[in-house]
Amino acid sequence: MLGEHRYAIELEWQGDRGEGTASYRAYGRQHVVRAEGKLHEIAGSSDRAFHGDRDRWNPEELVLAALSQCHMLSYLHVATNHGVVVVGYSDAATATMQEDGRGGGRLVEAVLRPRVTVADPSMRELADALHHEASEKCFIAASVNFPVRHEPVAVVRGVDD
């Protein structure tokens, strides 16, 4: 069944230091993101390079996290459909942002490095191949305008780990 799904969040800026945005350095970039029914809020800021708080998530990290999560969830679905038994999954994803010299910029690439642990050696080759199908099913990857590359590794439980 095809459908339309809507999502809603609430964002609250917490960076007023007493003089608002009187100057670029006068305000903090701290904020929280909330959603109805969620147990935890996300503490956000800008990247440290843009006067943010390095202890909080920045938007670029959140985009990368969404790409990584979406690929993993799509991959686990695809693996199940193909009979590949996944017993472990991790990712060491990276993204690159380039500034445009006019005060803006954009993410230009993300690289996902999923490490998939499968239950049986006979599943390793198919496990690697399924990343392409998972990528095609990932809603977030389909929504961005930059390449999302994959450098997967499949290992076998008890053999390679």
Side-chain angles (χ1 to χ4, degrees), residues 10-136:
E10 294 175 5
L11 176 76
E12 179 187 349
W13 175 52
Q14 299 175 324
D16 182 7
R17 296 177 180 153
E19 55 184 309
T21 59
S23 72
Y24 186 68
R25 295 183 185 266
Y27 63 95
R29 278 61 175 176
Q30 300 86 351
H31 57 272
V32 294
V33 180
R34 297 180 188 97
E36 186 176 332
K38 303 297 184 217
L39 297 176
H40 307 283
E41 61 189 26
I42 296 171
S45 186
S46 62
D47 186 348
R48 181 70 184 129
F50 306 107
H51 305 285
D53 182 342
R54 77 177 72 231
D55 293 332
R56 290 175 172 235
W57 288 85
N58 65 57
E60 296 81 12
E61 291 168 326
L62 291 170
V63 169
L64 182 59
L67 284 165
S68 179
Q69 291 171 306
C70 185
H71 183 79
M72 178 196 68
L73 295 167
S74 297
Y75 182 85
L76 295 173
H77 171 76
V78 168
T80 299
N81 287 347
H82 286 272
V84 173
V85 179
V86 175
V87 296
Y89 187 108
S90 62
D91 189 3
T94 59
T96 303
M97 184 187 75
Q98 289 181 348
E99 293 183 61
D100 63 13
R102 296 174 289 142
R106 64 186 292 263
L107 291 172
V108 295
E109 177 185 58
V111 180
L112 307 183
R113 294 178 182 86
R115 179 179 169 92
V116 177
T117 305
V118 296
D120 186 88
S122 66
M123 299 175 183
R124 185 191 314 242
E125 189 174 326
L126 180 55
D128 272 338
L130 293 178
H131 288 280
H132 178 73
E133 183 179 343
S135 179
E136 290 178 341

